[in-house]
Amino acid sequence: MKVVPLANDDPFVDPVRPESSERPAEGSTLIAGRTASLTLATDSLIVLESRPTQAIPFYNILWVELSGPEILIKYAKPTAKDTVRVATINYPVEKPDHPHTAAWVATLLDRAYGEAQRNKRVKVLVNPFGGKGKAQKWYLQDIEPIFAAARCDVDVQKTQYRGHAMEIAERLDVEAFDVIASCSGDGLPYEVFNGLGKKKDALRALRKMAVVQLPCGSGNAMSWNLNGTDSPSVAALAVVKGIRTPMDLISITQGDRRTLSFLSQSVGIVADADLGTENLRWLGSARFSLGICIRLLKKTVYPCDLAMKIELATKQEVREHFWAALKDHSLPEQCRDSLDNNLREASGLPPLQYGTVNDDLPDGWTLFPYDKMGNFYSGNMALMAPDTNFFPAALPNDGCMDLVTLDGDVSRIAALRSLSAVSSGAKFFNMPDVKYCKISGYRIIPKDQKDGCISIDGERMPFEPFQAEVHRGLGTVLSKSGHVYEAPCVVGKGAETV
């Protein structure tokens, strides 16, 4: 190995960030054979040889090792707009046993993974019916090669029936794996969280096991929020490089049942649009927009009594909270410290601070008779689909649910304007007819209706009263940033008008 001094025109400045004036540290270039050099730049590995210079982002590097007299580097190479494939470069190294060579390899791996865990042990659940029956194909073609190149230890199992993933998660040895990855839509992660929640050591299991989605279904909201994509191969790369992140979970009590929600809960237009268009799944996420549009035009109302524990009542308070969280990255650490304390005191799910739906209304809750409710939508993530940023101020672990309500008797024009604004997030958030706040618990009691739709994470629930309360950082996921969702940052710092 040789250390190469930098030329005055410095060809090793990272082309991914051309504005950067940082230069590689001394010893960051490895001479590979007679014609090539490998340089650790700001965000990329620069490969310089007789061919045009190649910049491989550290994020895309899956593995690097010395194999005999050669250095072998595997990385995720973009081959289309939303596809990456494993590619390999290998070069001879003059002194593979030299300490500087080993140090260079170690440094590249450090930069490639950063805070992310290497060699993840992944339990993969494949829903063979997901993605119109293509989930197994997508796993073998798009996902498995990424995991293999990254030296992940993988165990694969197909789910055979509804609820099977819940049973697998409940019986899983959490010491044997770091991640449970669902090749599916959002249904399997819902089952996995609830399976872990059924374990005798549920707190520890939910803290230990990161739950992720590899998008292979018609609804891939979890992947959009945490991986920033619905591409199976790009999501696999995001999981390989994912940072452990605490995420709030919500307890739902209904009758004598308690379940966990990770995504959203809805009553009214959104629930009807979701559950009432099951026959249109072939339309993908478009079925959701179509269902909402039809119900808005009908000016349907869903009368209920609504009680809430409000934490941030105004949009301005929500804005200030959101921007403070973006600047303060200590929220995940606060969650971890709190959970570590709870682990010493309890083993199952945390106790319910507000009781169940069968108890008296908790102190400090506000009751609202809501006879003209058009839409009640509570979210734990920002994006419900790639073009539906319903909860632009949602955060993974702030201990709050984001609540959107819309009266059912607003004009059709106002209702349609609200629908068309959802894709931008900002316009939707600022619309005067859209009520937006942050809450820590609520209870809904439907009235004057014999039947209707209640959706919890896209799953149909009985049409009867239910109560929800948030548990800060109870779940664990993998995210790209470690503290925010991959949704467009559209919540302005100040009050805005539409």
Side-chain angles (χ1 to χ4, degrees):
M1 189 203 76
K2 297 179 182 178
V3 176
V4 177
L6 298 179
N8 291 333
D9 56 352
D10 196 351
F12 305 123
V13 171
D14 189 351
V16 176
R17 293 176 60 182
E19 75 281 0
S20 173
S21 61
E22 291 185 39
R23 291 168 178 250
E26 185 73 11
S28 61
T29 296
L30 183 70
I31 296 300
R34 297 182 178 181
T35 61
S37 64
L38 309 175
T39 296
L40 306 180
T42 307
D43 289 328
S44 301
L45 171 67
I46 308 299
V47 182
L48 185 63
E49 55 180 331
S50 56
R51 295 176 295 186
T53 301
Q54 181 181 8
I56 305 174
F58 291 140
Y59 179 82
N60 288 55
I61 291 177
L62 300 169
W63 199 250
V64 55
E65 64 183 18
L66 291 166
S67 178
E70 288 190 328
I71 186 168
L72 180 71
I73 299 173
K74 290 185 177 291
Y75 67 100
K77 181 179 180 179
T79 58
K81 180 181 178 181
D82 296 313
T83 305
V84 293
R85 292 284 183 258
V86 175
T88 304
I89 56 173
N90 57 293
Y91 292 99
V93 179
E94 291 184 3
K95 298 180 180 180
D97 298 327
H98 196 285
H100 289 294
T101 306
W104 189 93
V105 169
T107 300
L108 177 53
L109 276 174
D110 287 342
R111 296 204 186 177
Y113 279 86
E115 299 177 54
Q117 176 190 353
R118 305 176 198 171
N119 306 115
K120 292 180 175 75
R121 300 172 300 166
V122 186
K123 177 70 175 181
V124 175
L125 303 180
V126 179
N127 175 7
F129 305 104
K132 302 177 183 178
K134 296 181 180 179
Q136 176 71 10
K137 173 186 174 181
W138 288 337
Y139 172 74
L140 294 173
Q141 172 183 287
D142 298 307
I143 298 167
E144 191 276 336
I146 301 284
F147 285 173
R151 302 296 193 268
C152 293
D153 185 2
V154 179
D155 181 72
V156 185
Q157 184 172 354
K158 291 183 183 179
T159 57
Q160 299 175 0
Y161 46 84
R162 187 181 183 88
H164 192 197
M166 189 180 303
E167 296 173 4
I168 293 170
E170 184 179 3
R171 296 193 299 262
L172 194 70
D173 178 5
V174 298
E175 293 302 322
F177 299 97
D178 306 302
V179 179
I180 303 182
S182 297
C183 294
S184 65
D186 293 310
L188 250 60
Y190 171 82
E191 291 190 19
V192 168
F193 277 122
N194 278 281
L196 295 175
K198 289 177 177 291
K199 296 177 78 70
K200 293 181 179 179
D201 59 345
L203 267 177
R204 182 170 172 274
L206 289 163
R207 173 79 160 84
K208 167 78 170 56
M209 194 67 61
V211 179
V212 304
Q213 181 196 28
L214 296 163
C216 295
S218 60
N220 301 303
M222 186 179 193
S223 183
W224 276 110
N225 283 279
L226 298 172
N227 305 324
T229 183
D230 66 350
S231 160
S233 62
V234 177
L237 175 60
V239 168
V240 165
K241 297 302 180 76
I243 301 169
R244 290 179 64 86
T245 306
M247 189 179 77
D248 299 340
L249 294 178
I250 293 93
S251 275
I252 306 294
T253 60
Q254 191 178 49
D256 59 355
R257 303 176 299 278
R258 179 182 181 182
T259 57
L260 293 175
S261 168
F262 77 94
L263 180 60
S264 66
Q265 312 92 48
S266 60
V267 181
I269 290 172
V270 169
D272 274 1
D274 183 14
L275 301 176
T277 58
E278 288 288 329
N279 60 320
L280 300 175
R281 278 190 172 271
W282 56 272
L283 285 175
S285 60
R287 72 179 175 92
F288 185 72
S289 298
L290 176 62
I292 288 181
C293 186
I294 292 172
R295 285 153 182 82
L296 285 176
L297 290 173
K298 289 182 177 179
K299 298 182 71 172
T300 309
V301 296
Y302 306 82
C304 68
D305 287 332
L306 171 62
M308 298 184 292
K309 178 66 169 68
I310 301 173
E311 302 297 335
L312 300 171
T314 69
K315 291 180 181 178
Q316 185 58 31
E317 289 177 309
V318 171
R319 289 187 188 95
E320 293 171 357
H321 170 82
F322 178 76
W323 281 96
L326 291 188
K327 296 176 182 178
D328 182 5
H329 295 184
S330 66
L331 285 178
E333 289 301 327
Q334 294 174 23
C335 290
R336 293 186 184 102
D337 293 342
S338 174
L339 283 170
D340 286 343
N341 292 333
N342 290 335
L343 284 173
R344 302 186 187 100
E345 301 171 1
S347 55
L349 287 175
L352 294 168
Q353 179 183 356
Y354 301 129
T356 75
V357 69
N358 300 315
D359 297 323
D360 293 336
L361 202 65
D363 293 337
W365 284 38
T366 305
L367 179 65
F368 302 91
Y370 206 167
D371 294 333
K372 295 183 179 180
M373 194 265 287
N375 183 52
F376 175 97
Y377 204 6
S378 173
N380 194 42
M381 291 183 169
L383 297 164
M384 297 297 107
D387 57 349
T388 54
N389 193 1
F390 259 107
F391 307 102
L395 294 162
N397 43 54
D398 66 348
C400 292
M401 296 172 275
D402 287 37
L403 175 62
V404 170
T405 56
L406 184 70
D407 293 343
D409 60 348
V410 299
S411 70
R412 290 183 175 88
I413 292 176
L416 289 173
R417 284 183 64 201
S418 299
L419 172 64
S420 63
V422 169
S423 60
S424 74
K427 290 182 179 180
F428 179 74
F429 180 87
N430 289 296
M431 281 193 157
D433 292 316
V434 174
K435 300 171 186 175
Y436 197 114
C437 63
K438 282 184 177 276
I439 59 176
S440 57
Y442 67 86
R443 179 183 297 180
I444 285 188
I445 304 171
K447 60 183 183 181
D448 301 331
Q449 278 184 283
K450 292 184 178 180
D451 196 16
C453 292
I454 295 175
S455 174
I456 309 295
D457 295 353
E459 302 295 316
R460 183 184 293 273
M461 303 293 282
F463 191 69
E464 59 189 50
F466 72 95
Q467 181 165 305
E469 78 168 67
V470 66
H471 305 288
R472 186 177 182 188
L474 176 60
T476 303
V477 294
L478 298 179
S479 70
K480 294 179 73 173
S481 69
H483 70 284
V484 295
Y485 291 127
E486 296 299 308
C489 183
V490 296
V491 178
K493 293 184 179 180
E496 300 174 24
T497 59
V498 178

